[in-house]
Amino acid sequence: APEVKRGMVCLIGKGPDFFIAVGDHPEWGNAHTVWGEVKDMGPVDQLVAASPVVQQLWGETHVTALATPIPFDLTPVDPQPGGDGAAGGAA
């Protein structure tokens, strides 16, 4: 796993919970499975700035987490038009 950097989406343990890194974390080494990347962190930054947060301790790691989880849905998309993925591809 790569070193966690701002915008990376990482599993917490074996999942299904995950986090979006809002900063670089070289102190974590390569301990987290990175499974995605947020290309535009603007909306994430706005959400974090407008949401109540709590300080937590995960193992030996001090983290800032949202006080209330935010529900959402993920929709898979093809990275290239005309691909054969679940959404956006040719049938």
Side-chain angles (χ1 to χ4, degrees), residues 12-52:
I12 298 172
K14 294 181 181 180
D17 294 330
F18 66 92
F19 65 90
I20 299 170
V22 295
D24 293 346
H25 292 282
E27 71 277 14
W28 295 348
N30 59 357
H32 295 283
T33 301
V34 176
W35 61 271
E37 184 175 5
V38 176
K39 295 293 185 184
D40 178 4
M41 285 291 289
V44 174
D45 293 337
Q46 290 174 354
L47 182 65
V48 171
S51 300

Side-chain angles (χ1 to χ4, degrees), residues 1-83:
E3 186 176 282
V4 176
K5 299 206 178 291
R6 176 175 165 79
M8 289 183 166
V9 184
C10 306
L11 287 177
I12 298 172
K14 294 181 181 180
D17 294 330
F18 66 92
F19 65 90
I20 299 170
V22 295
D24 293 346
H25 292 282
E27 71 277 14
W28 295 348
N30 59 357
H32 295 283
T33 301
V34 176
W35 61 271
E37 184 175 5
V38 176
K39 295 293 185 184
D40 178 4
M41 285 291 289
V44 174
D45 293 337
Q46 290 174 354
L47 182 65
V48 171
S51 300
V53 296
V54 294
Q55 301 299 314
Q56 297 179 337
L57 184 61
W58 297 353
E60 297 181 19
T61 304
H62 293 271
V63 300
T64 302
L66 296 177
T68 304
I70 298 172
F72 65 94
D73 291 315
L74 292 175
T75 303
V77 296
D78 278 339
Q80 299 178 13

